[in-house]
Amino acid sequence: MSQHHLKPLFAPKSVAVFGASDRIDSVGQIVFQNMLQSGYQGKLYPINPNHAEVQGCKAYSSISQITEPVELAVIATPPQSVPGIIEECGKHNVKAAVIITAGFGEASDAGKTLEFAVLENARQYGVRLIGPNCLGVMRPDIGLNATFNKGSAITGNIAFISQSGALCTAILDWAKSNDVGFSSVVSMGASVDVDFGEILDYLISDTKTHSILLYIEGIHDARSFMSSIRAAARIKPVILVKVGRHAAASKAAISHTASIVGSDDAFDAAVRRAGVVRVQTITQLFSAAKALSCGFDPTGNRLAIVTNGGGPGVMATDYAIDLGLVMANLSNHTIETLNQVLPSTWSHGNPVDVIGDAQADRYQYAVKACLEDPNVDGVLTILTPQAMTKPLEVANVVIELSNQYKKPLLTSWMGEAQVEESRAAFNRAKKPSFRNPESALDVFSFLSAYHKNQKLLMQMPGPLAHHLEPDVESARMIIEGALQEKRKILGEMESKALLSAFHIPVAQTMVARSPNEALLIAQQLGFPVAMKINSPDITHKSDVGGVMLNLANAPDVRAAYHEIIERVKRIRPDAQVNGISIQPMVVKPNGRELMVGVTNDPVFGPIITFGAGGTTVEIMGDRSVALPPLNTFLVKDLIHGTHVAKMLGAFRNMPPVNMEALESVLLRVSEMVCELPMLMEMDINPLILDEHGVLAADARIVVDVRPASADRYAHMAISPYPTHLVSNWQLADGTDVVIRPIRPEDVWLVQDFVQNLSEESRYFRFMKSVQQLSEPLLVRFTQIDYSREMALIAVKVEQDKEIELGVTRYAINPDGESCEFALVVADSMRGTGLGHKLMTSLMDIARTKGLKRIEGEVLKNNASMLKLMKRLGFTTVVNPEDSSIKNVYKVL
């Protein structure tokens, strides 16, 4: 595999600094001084046309005067000069540039013109850009400090990526005094070219980076961001701060759902689904990173507290419950153990109060017992410096226990002078310690969220969740019919027909266009009935007096028809009225009114929401949101994220509801979102649920045209599992083979396949000796993003067990037009045509993605692979950097 295209940015062998200067406190002076003082290990070239020497180094008037290769350009010159500099860099074969200069698109129309020129020149020559208007880039382990920050950074294993340069300077200053080190620091600035997605891609395979921290103000490309952050979070902890949490939702929203779901709801749902931890402050950002780097194994949110003070224990308990944590119910065995080792006056419950005179041994017994309790997911140990307390001895005991157990063990040594030495001991041992219990509990909540979100990350639903397929074609015809009539809001009949096409139970509805017709329909449906105005111009019918309920006889129906029509014409004389819709009153004495909705976030696309229903839905605000596609696991998580979930079990005199029916509706809504890109907003409100089943009493749907795309799921931030790519094939001997996209649960299937390959086959595939795949590599191979990569495996079934026979995969290159492939088949499958079949299937998929070229590397002694490439029409050339490798490629 070729090196990552951002390597010249993170590991350049040579750097040219444009605008390097001797003028004190100029940006160019600080940047070049930082490069000199940080001990950069590569070649450094100051470029300044007005000086022969800068800070004691020979200066160059232009990059063309440098006779050796330059990999990275750092630009700190006036904005008008930058387009020309990028062109010069391109001609000199520079591959990356950091534009520190401000005054581009963020400043004025003239700046936008300059920015466009910079981008045009960069794209012409293949120069990748960070910035403009950024602090710069740091890579402390190689002495790269291409920033105008006054000071350097400690070498460490945290990568910090920020959209705010000012915040970077504050964090770098804080980090140095708190002994926090970095593998990389990237200030992204305006992000006109390289964005979060590509940087995260690089950090995934960067061995220097163990965890990734992000400061985010906004996302430019949701699909790229989600693809990369999900890939990164499968390998390394990713923690982020996102500002702008309280941006108001659109006032022009047509549906209830759109009016109550703000952009931060969508972002929060996205990062949860990505397996990422979101925090609210910078201190929490680094505290969470420190805790996740301690080797803890987060498993849940059940907490035990061990304290020598009742007051701090109770305060911590209150705060833990506020955070949604669960105070662990200690097992009988743990209680018995503690009874034997603690004074009779101990609290006999959680929090475990070991009493104020507790010494190190008492803490050791209590903390150890809690850590060993299967009902406990983590322990917070609190110490207050009382007269008999020996803080350092207790600290050493807790440090030793932390080394023995994988469960999170957090500490809060309260006070100052008497616990200072203990805090130093915790820091030396790299154990998370906090000045107050609240900060420790925040971090435990983040660890719990990380565990939960990692389970969400593992889910890979397909677009269709049921064996009973929906009538997608009919649904599309309903939408297209409305759009052809220049309507975006579907009528009630159309909306319910759309739900019916996806097998969502709806209340039978008929439309009357006269009082007599209303009477006949009511008698046919059976009393009592509900009557509602039928108008494409009126979304919230009750707001204009367009709804009347529980009409029990013929005179009431006739009178209601006249009353609704007259009232609506008075309040909304402009509205087109197409009669009155009539449906039976839904009588469900044990029914709960719920709401299921869809809205479209401008960044993340379709969002599914669930919560309490009825007319007060906006006021109550009881909702949970999720990004589609959904499966049963994700649906359960969505439901349990609401307060109304507590009312779905046995409640007062009501039996528990039919949860399977509710889950089925949410899965069907996910199918609608996947298969109907033109679905923009939807409310099913109320959705009435009882012990017998579910019924959509009312629905409103908004549709619109989307741009055409070769990717059928381009409208979604997360691509569903591509079930349409599953196919059957047969070997010449009659063996049935299934060729399908790889799934996360294939991890052990892949490991067995690799282990059963011959040593030669493993060497040909990985170009080095490999016995088995590491866990990170297994995750990387099986948990893929189908929007930017593909892996097809061929399997057969023997004794109800799948056996992998071969695999081929591609990853789309940064140019978006080509991809790099790999192929390997079991030794027993050579000569069966399986490799040919897998490759042709893969190339077909690449073509449908709009890719124009497929390429790869093959060892020159891998004769069978080179023979297959020739049969498939690939061109073969010797790799210019390694004669033992042949590059193969084919235009698709």
Side-chain angles (χ1 to χ4, degrees):
M1 299 289 282
S2 58
Q3 70 175 28
H4 196 280
H5 63 284
L6 289 187
K7 189 175 181 182
L9 172 67
F10 286 95
K13 297 176 182 176
S14 51
V15 177
V17 179
F18 289 81
S21 172
D22 289 313
R23 183 163 52 88
I24 300 299
D25 287 340
S26 67
V27 173
Q29 183 263 331
I30 295 171
V31 171
F32 195 71
Q33 177 179 280
N34 281 343
M35 290 293 293
L36 289 173
Q37 292 182 350
S38 64
Y40 173 58
Q41 298 171 9
K43 295 182 179 180
L44 186 60
Y45 304 101
I47 297 182
N48 188 319
N50 301 317
H51 297 277
E53 187 177 281
V54 171
Q55 298 185 37
C57 299
K58 177 186 175 181
Y60 298 81
S61 60
S62 71
I63 195 169
S64 61
Q65 302 300 309
I66 301 173
T67 58
E68 297 185 33
V70 175
E71 292 193 349
L72 175 65
V74 182
I75 302 172
T77 60
Q80 294 82 4
S81 66
V82 177
I85 289 174
I86 293 297
E87 184 176 13
E88 291 175 17
C89 288
K91 291 178 178 178
H92 200 76
N93 204 31
V94 175
K95 294 302 180 186
V98 177
I99 305 175
I100 293 173
T101 308
F104 290 89
E106 81 284 355
S108 63
D109 288 340
K112 290 179 182 177
T113 302
L114 279 174
E115 186 177 289
F116 180 78
V118 168
L119 267 175
E120 284 288 294
N121 290 344
R123 287 168 179 164
Q124 180 181 351
Y125 292 100
V127 182
R128 304 311 308 274
L129 307 177
I130 292 287
N133 189 20
C134 69
L135 180 71
V137 174
M138 285 186 179
R139 189 76 172 177
D141 69 309
I142 62 169
L144 178 68
N145 184 1
T147 73
F148 62 95
N149 179 64
K150 289 201 171 182
S152 58
I154 302 170
T155 299
N157 53 33
I158 294 174
F160 180 57
I161 317 300
S162 173
Q163 286 181 318
S164 168
L167 189 71
C168 275
T169 61
I171 284 175
L172 287 167
D173 185 54
W174 172 89
K176 204 157 192 178
S177 61
N178 284 273
D179 197 31
V180 174
F182 298 92
S183 61
S184 303
V185 178
V186 180
S187 164
M188 296 172 59
S191 304
V192 297
D193 180 29
V194 175
D195 204 352
F196 281 114
E198 290 180 85
I199 295 173
L200 287 167
D201 276 344
Y202 180 86
L203 296 174
I204 288 170
S205 55
D206 177 30
T207 57
K208 305 291 185 182
T209 297
H210 296 175
S211 56
I212 301 169
L213 310 187
L214 307 175
Y215 172 84
I216 300 174
E217 294 176 349
I219 301 299
H220 298 144
D221 184 337
R223 178 61 75 85
S224 170
F225 174 75
M226 287 300 292
S227 295
S228 300
I229 200 168
R230 294 178 80 217
R234 291 179 181 119
I235 308 296
K236 302 171 182 181
V238 179
I239 309 158
L240 63 83
V241 169
K242 164 71 165 62
V243 294
R245 292 183 293 118
H246 298 297
S250 171
K251 294 180 180 178
I254 297 172
S255 70
H256 288 295
T257 302
S259 67
I260 64 174
V261 177
S263 60
D264 197 62
D265 293 292
F267 184 87
D268 212 44
V271 297
R272 285 200 313 271
R273 188 71 183 275
V276 171
V277 177
R278 183 182 183 185
V279 300
Q280 306 302 333
T281 70
I282 296 303
T283 301
Q284 291 173 347
L285 191 72
F286 284 94
S287 295
K290 187 175 182 180
L292 283 167
S293 68
C294 286
F296 291 147
D297 184 15
T299 56
N301 66 349
R302 299 171 301 172
L303 176 71
I305 297 174
V306 177
T307 176
N308 69 342
V314 173
M315 290 177 66
T317 298
D318 284 342
Y319 190 67
I321 294 170
D322 289 342
L323 291 174
L325 300 173
V326 175
M327 293 302 294
N329 185 18
L330 300 179
S331 70
N332 291 334
H333 176 74
T334 299
I335 296 292
E336 291 172 8
T337 301
L338 293 175
N339 282 335
Q340 294 172 13
V341 296
L342 297 182
S344 60
T345 54
W346 81 280
S347 56
H348 298 278
N350 184 17
V352 179
D353 186 349
V354 295
I355 313 303
D357 62 348
Q359 301 286 312
D361 59 344
R362 204 180 291 172
Y363 266 98
Q364 183 180 29
Y365 294 140
V367 173
K368 185 174 186 291
C370 290
L371 287 171
E372 292 180 349
D373 191 323
N375 295 338
V376 173
D377 297 318
V379 178
L380 168 61
T381 306
I382 301 172
L383 180 142
T384 57
Q386 301 179 38
M388 299 73 71
T389 310
K390 296 179 180 178
L392 183 58
E393 289 184 15
V394 178
N396 288 331
V397 163
V398 171
I399 289 169
E400 182 59 32
L401 286 170
S402 183
N403 291 331
Q404 295 173 19
Y405 294 88
K406 288 292 187 180
K407 287 183 181 178
L409 176 54
L410 307 180
T411 63
S412 176
W413 263 223
M414 301 176 71
E416 196 57 49
Q418 295 183 55
V419 298
E420 184 176 358
E421 195 175 359
S422 301
R423 289 195 184 125
F426 284 126
N427 286 335
R428 285 193 302 272
K430 299 191 180 301
K431 303 299 180 184
S433 177
F434 304 89
R435 292 178 179 273
N436 58 73
E438 290 80 9
S439 297
L441 289 166
D442 282 336
V443 169
F444 182 71
S445 74
F446 301 143
L447 292 171
S448 299
Y450 177 74
H451 167 70
K452 180 179 179 181
N453 294 351
Q454 284 286 304
K455 290 196 289 185
L456 298 181
L457 172 63
M458 286 293 292
Q459 307 306 309
M460 193 64 68
L464 302 180
H466 293 263
H467 295 297
L468 184 59
E469 290 192 12
D471 188 353
V472 177
E473 191 58 37
S474 294
R476 287 175 181 158
M477 289 176 66
I478 293 169
I479 294 173
E480 289 165 0
L483 292 173
Q484 286 172 5
E485 296 176 6
K486 309 297 183 185
R487 289 189 293 113
K488 294 184 179 180
I489 303 174
L490 300 186
E492 183 177 357
M493 299 290 287
E494 292 171 314
S495 296
K496 288 185 174 178
L498 211 63
L499 298 182
S500 295
F502 281 81
H503 308 293
I504 295 175
V506 298
Q508 184 182 3
T509 305
M510 300 177 72
V511 176
R513 290 173 174 79
S514 71
N516 286 337
E517 195 173 350
L519 181 57
L520 290 172
I521 290 172
Q523 289 175 330
Q524 180 181 340
L525 295 176
F527 294 104
V529 296
M531 298 176 65
K532 294 177 282 187
I533 193 71
N534 186 33
S535 169
D537 301 321
I538 299 173
T539 303
H540 305 303
K541 302 176 181 66
S542 58
D543 293 351
V544 296
V547 178
M548 295 187 74
L549 306 175
N550 280 312
L551 301 166
N553 53 54
D556 288 349
V557 168
R558 188 186 298 274
Y561 188 97
H562 289 294
E563 188 176 339
I564 291 173
I565 294 292
E566 289 172 4
R567 190 184 299 149
V568 170
K569 284 184 175 180
R570 185 174 66 252
I571 297 173
R572 286 288 307 274
D574 59 315
Q576 175 186 340
V577 175
N578 298 328
I580 301 288
S581 64
I582 304 173
Q583 67 183 57
M585 281 299 300
V586 179
V587 181
K588 287 182 176 284
N590 296 325
R592 282 74 147 179
E593 288 195 350
L594 307 171
M595 188 273 289
V596 175
V598 173
T599 187
N600 259 268
D601 182 77
V603 176
F604 292 101
I607 305 294
I608 296 174
T609 184
F610 168 78
T615 57
T616 60
V617 61
E618 292 102 330
I619 298 170
M620 298 301 291
D622 178 28
R623 66 184 184 275
S624 180
V625 299
L627 264 66
L630 303 181
N631 60 12
T632 302
F633 182 93
L634 295 168
V635 160
K636 290 180 187 293
D637 181 72
L638 178 65
I639 293 170
H640 291 297
T642 62
H643 297 300
V644 77
K646 298 175 183 177
M647 297 175 59
L648 302 181
F651 177 67
R652 292 186 177 175
N653 296 322
M654 294 190 290
V657 301
N658 185 334
M659 288 298 292
E660 288 185 4
L662 174 59
E663 291 168 7
S664 176
V665 168
L666 287 165
L667 290 171
R668 289 299 190 184
V669 169
S670 175
E671 292 177 353
M672 294 177 73
V673 168
C674 291
E675 300 301 330
L676 303 176
M678 294 177 286
L679 177 62
M680 296 296 168
E681 294 178 19
M682 179 171 72
D683 284 338
I684 306 175
N685 182 26
L687 180 75
I688 302 176
L689 176 69
D690 66 6
E691 68 274 25
H692 301 297
V694 67
L695 189 71
D698 199 3
R700 57 174 64 90
I701 293 176
V702 181
V703 297
D704 205 350
V705 177
R706 284 192 191 269
S709 173
D711 182 356
R712 64 193 290 175
Y713 303 115
H715 61 294
M716 302 171 66
I718 300 175
S719 180
Y721 179 80
T723 51
H724 62 286
L725 298 180
V726 178
S727 64
N728 297 305
W729 190 62
Q730 199 171 67
L731 295 173
D733 64 2
T735 302
D736 291 322
V737 175
V738 175
I739 296 175
R740 60 170 175 80
I742 206 163
R743 297 190 296 250
E745 56 265 35
D746 291 328
V747 58
W748 301 119
L749 194 69
V750 171
Q751 185 71 286
D752 289 344
F753 174 72
V754 171
Q755 288 179 337
N756 289 327
L757 289 172
S758 66
E759 187 174 341
E760 180 187 58
S761 293
R762 287 197 296 268
Y763 187 80
F764 283 158
R765 167 61 181 90
F766 300 104
M767 297 190 179
K768 60 182 179 181
S769 296
V770 173
Q771 295 302 315
Q772 63 178 17
L773 300 180
S774 65
E775 186 174 344
L777 202 55
L778 273 172
V779 171
R780 189 75 187 89
F781 279 171
T782 54
Q783 298 180 34
I784 69 171
D785 188 308
Y786 305 107
S787 65
R788 61 177 187 162
E789 54 188 324
M790 181 54 64
L792 294 176
I793 63 171
V795 297
K796 67 176 180 178
V797 177
E798 286 186 2
Q799 298 178 344
D800 296 326
K801 180 183 177 182
E802 282 191 331
I803 298 173
E804 183 178 344
L805 305 177
V807 59
T808 185
R809 62 180 68 237
Y810 72 63
I812 299 176
N813 290 323
D815 60 15
E817 295 186 344
S818 64
C819 62
E820 190 165 351
F821 82 92
L823 168 69
V824 62
V825 298
D827 293 88
S828 61
M829 289 293 107
R830 290 185 181 181
T832 63
L834 180 61
H836 190 281
K837 175 63 178 177
L838 283 170
M839 279 299 298
T840 54
S841 298
L842 189 74
M843 290 189 291
D844 286 343
I845 296 169
R847 288 188 190 96
T848 63
K849 284 282 188 181
L851 298 176
K852 298 177 181 177
R853 175 183 165 110
I854 185 168
E855 59 194 23
E857 295 179 343
V858 181
L859 289 169
K860 72 175 185 179
N861 56 343
N862 189 350
S864 59
M865 178 66 78
L866 290 172
K867 185 178 179 181
L868 174 60
M869 293 298 103
K870 185 177 180 180
R871 286 205 310 272
L872 289 167
F874 278 70
T875 299
T876 303
V877 296
V878 176
N879 186 304
E881 297 179 359
D882 187 343
S883 60
S884 69
I885 295 174
K886 290 196 174 182
N887 294 342
V888 296
Y889 65 89
K890 179 181 174 69
V891 176
L892 297 173

